[in-house]
Structures are given as C-alpha cells and as structure tokens.
Amino acid sequence: MKLIDIRNIFLPILTAFLTSGPIGAQVPASNEPDEEEVMGEEIVSDVEDEEREVRDDIVIIPDEADDIDIPIPDFIKKSYNNIIYNGADWSRLRKAFTSSATDPVSIVHIGDSHIQADFSTGTTRELLQYDFGNAGRGLIAPLKMSGTNQPSDYTFQSTGSWVPNKLMSSSWKQTVGFTGTSVRPVTSNGQLTFATSDRDDYNPFSSVIIFHTGRLTVNSVTNAAGVKLSHRAIPSHDYTQIILPSQETSVTVNFSSAGDLTVFGASLSGGRPGVYYHAIGNNGAAYETYNRIGNVGAGISPLKPDLVIISLGTNEAFGKLDTRAFTRSVDRLVKNIRTANPDALILLTTPQECQRSVTTTKKVRVKTKARKGRKARYKTVNRSSRSYAVNKNIAPLRQAIMDYGKENGIAVYDWYSVAGGSGSSSIWISNGLFAGDRVHHTRKGYNLEGRLVYEALLDALRENR
C-alpha cells in the first residue's frame, strides 16, 4: 500500500468543550458542615440534554500535526476492515476507478461532527488522490461564516454582512441547503472569496460551482493578486458555474442579486482526472436532521456521485433509544439519495463505541454547625458527582444499521467492529485516540480511522466480484 508523508495537514485537533463543575448539587444551609454520613442510596442518571448541547458546540484547539502514516494498533480488528456488500454490485464503481485517469470519480461522504472537521475524511481523500489523482478540492461550505468550525485547508469568506443558518438551529431563518448550512447576503451587491491552502498540498482550481437558491449575477472575478480574470458564468437551476481562464488558488467573486439569494456551498474543480472526495458534515447531526432538509439527494446530484457514504448514528445514541424510528430515518435518507442519484452506490457506516457523562447522586446526612443556644442538627442533602460510562445505545443502533443494510441490499462498513467492538472505547482512551469528551477522537484517532477507511475501499476496488 502506498502511503504519503504529509506534514502539517491538520493543524487543529478536534475536542468537545465540556461543561465544568458539578451539576444538580444541593447544598445545606451552612457551607461548612462538621460531619457527613452517607445514607447508602444512589441515583444514576444520564446527562443527555447537556451533552447534546456540548456536541453541537465544537471547539478547535491548535496543536502540532504529525504524519498520517501511523502504525495500526494491535487492538484494531483488521479482519473486519472490509466492505460488507449485502448483495450490492460494486462493479460499476470499480470501472469508474479504472477510468479515473480520464474521467473523475466522485465520492460524497455525509456525516456529523466527525465529518465536519474533515480530519478522517481528509486523510482518506489524500490517500485516494495520491493513488488515483487529485481532481480538485471539491465541495466546501460556509461553515465559518455560519459561526462554526471549518476545515483548515480552504477559505470560504466575505467582507460583507450575511445572515447565517445552521442545520441544528431550532428554527431556520432561511432555506438550509444540502450542505446543512446557508448564508444570505444583507445587501444586493457583495463578494465571496474561495481559496485552497497552499501550505502543503497544492490544490489549484479552474472552475467554481456556487450552490444557491435565488438569483446570482457574477459581475467580476479577481485572483489573489487582485487581477481581474476573464471568466464565463453558466447559470443553472440550483447553482452557477464559473469557468476560469487559468488555475488559481484564490478567487474573489463580485456579484449582485435580487434579494432572494441564499448560498449553500461551492465546489472547486481543477479540471483534472482523478478523485473528488466531497465531505458534508454538521455538528450534532443525525439521520432525521438531514431528512429535515428534504432534498439532500437532489442537492448532491450535481456532484455526480459514484459513491455516497453515510456516517451517522452517534448523536442518536445520546437521545431516547428507538431503533424502529431510527431505521425509518435511515430508510428515508437512503431513499431520498437513491431517487435523485440512481447510479450511485450507497455505503452505510456504523458508529464507534463511545462514552457518555453520567451523574451519580448520593443522599448524605450533613451535620451543621451548632449555633449559639442551639444544638447541632443533621440535614439530608444530595451530593452529585460526574463520571463516564460506555454509551449502551451505540451497540443496538449499530445492529440496526447492519440489519437495514442486509435487508435492503446496501453495503455496510462496520466501523464499530473494526475499531475494536465492545469495550474498545476504554482502549482508545488509554492509547490517546479519544478526545477529552470520549465521543470525538484526537487527530491521531481520526487519521487512523481515515487510513482504515481508505484501505477498506482499496480492497473493495481490487476485488473481482
């Protein structure tokens, strides 16, 4: 297997910002008890709403990057690192990769916060493009403009004022597109800058497709040096394509609109053969939240996907467990994507075992200080402490995905088993592969996952079935 030594690709490390201090603690009238006696009664409860809020608020912490060529630990179950086809015919995808030297292959990977930061998907992208060619950066989204974390290898920004919107907002100020985010300009004239990082991986582009609703008129396009470029703007129903005369790493598009413009994202193409690996991720997302958009399948259709990977299920495990409702949500999203993209293969992945915060409350008798003329008294109060335990909802949701794939002829990548199966979260923690929230991974953990996904896909492409 070919591996590349790419340094400083991922400067950030993804962690979740955990709330601090004990929760729900009730204290006696006096803050200085002389004596405490445990009554022996314990109440253990899951902190669901608070953790859900935490997972929606991802914090990026700078850190040094290292190679994505990391050793695979012994606890990884390599025998499971393959695609379970469930009768799906992958011959068309194999033919597409065989022709990737002339016609680009397009992969769309949809998920939650694990995908939004683009750590694991970025690793998979780099490795596939090393083997088959880099067709371009592909899909980018206005995540930073929407007030959330954004991958570090591209720029999507504007100096103007925009109204942001995110998938997980309780109410939407405007339409949310298939990327799970959107921005609407406050004025009728504005500009957007699209750029790729030139620190390590040189990723120029000669075409920009802006996905939007409403009218968008391209007035001018300038490059990083401020030189105005001749261009050709091709409007369509759901997007506008801008053809550039040269390969660029940064362009600013000056536009005007009729007041109904909402922008969802853009796709940067190099006009080269190879592989596109488009990533769509939203913090806190679940199958049902993508179903809320309603047109994800139609939205990704212009990307001409040969393969659509769906990596969801973690966030559902932090709510009330209902596997039947979960399966219905999976089916609804799969059918939405398949209807609009009948030639695309679909690959479901299972969520990895993670842990959740639990609160243990003990009833204790506290002796208060004696006051003048009065004897000391005892009061019964609640003392709370927080710890972590395996999220037991992950395993049944993993099984629901496995069953759905088998019953509907859809391929599955069982990441749950590959990562180590039951009990693996503690092993990942002890090996420094889980972040402090025990839900997200460290950079090395995501690099490891991305490499294993790459190897599983590569093995699937080599098979003659």
Side-chain angles (χ1 to χ4, degrees), residues 351-398:
Q352 180 180 351
E353 180 187 271
C354 62
Q355 298 188 7
R356 67 188 307 168
S357 177
V358 296
T359 296
T360 302
T361 301
K362 295 182 179 181
K363 291 185 178 296
V364 298
R365 282 173 56 82
V366 177
K367 183 180 180 180
T368 62
K369 279 188 174 182
R371 296 184 180 181
K372 186 176 181 181
R374 294 184 181 181
K375 293 182 178 180
R377 296 184 302 167
Y378 282 91
K379 287 186 178 181
T380 300
V381 299
N382 291 330
R383 294 287 187 193
S384 299
S385 61
R386 179 179 294 181
S387 60
Y388 287 91
V390 170
N391 189 332
K392 296 180 180 179
N393 288 346
I394 289 287
L397 292 178
R398 171 256 180 188

Side-chain angles (χ1 to χ4, degrees), residues 231-399:
H231 67 277
R232 185 159 58 101
I234 306 173
S236 184
H237 177 65
D238 299 317
Y239 59 87
T240 297
Q241 183 176 16
I242 303 172
I243 306 296
L244 305 174
S246 55
Q247 297 282 337
E248 304 289 342
T249 56
S250 178
V251 296
T252 296
V253 177
N254 295 281
F255 66 86
S256 57
S257 64
D260 58 350
L261 176 66
T262 301
V263 177
F264 309 134
S267 183
L268 307 180
S269 170
R272 306 179 294 270
V275 175
Y276 292 109
Y277 200 100
H278 310 284
I280 301 172
N282 289 272
N283 298 339
Y287 276 95
E288 196 52 38
T289 50
Y290 279 105
N291 288 331
R292 183 183 171 198
I293 297 174
N295 62 347
V296 171
I300 66 174
S301 184
L303 300 174
K304 300 178 181 178
D306 296 288
L307 173 66
V308 179
I309 305 174
I310 306 176
S311 297
L312 294 164
T314 298
N315 288 304
E316 287 92 333
F318 284 83
K320 183 179 179 181
L321 180 63
D322 186 340
T323 55
R324 290 185 179 181
F326 174 74
T327 300
R328 288 195 296 269
S329 294
V330 174
D331 185 60
R332 183 180 171 189
L333 183 59
V334 167
K335 287 180 177 177
N336 182 277
I337 292 172
R338 176 169 276 176
T339 298
N341 305 273
D343 294 331
L345 284 171
I346 295 177
L347 175 64
L348 305 178
T349 75
T350 60
Q352 180 180 351
E353 180 187 271
C354 62
Q355 298 188 7
R356 67 188 307 168
S357 177
V358 296
T359 296
T360 302
T361 301
K362 295 182 179 181
K363 291 185 178 296
V364 298
R365 282 173 56 82
V366 177
K367 183 180 180 180
T368 62
K369 279 188 174 182
R371 296 184 180 181
K372 186 176 181 181
R374 294 184 181 181
K375 293 182 178 180
R377 296 184 302 167
Y378 282 91
K379 287 186 178 181
T380 300
V381 299
N382 291 330
R383 294 287 187 193
S384 299
S385 61
R386 179 179 294 181
S387 60
Y388 287 91
V390 170
N391 189 332
K392 296 180 180 179
N393 288 346
I394 289 287
L397 292 178
R398 171 256 180 188
Q399 190 59 52

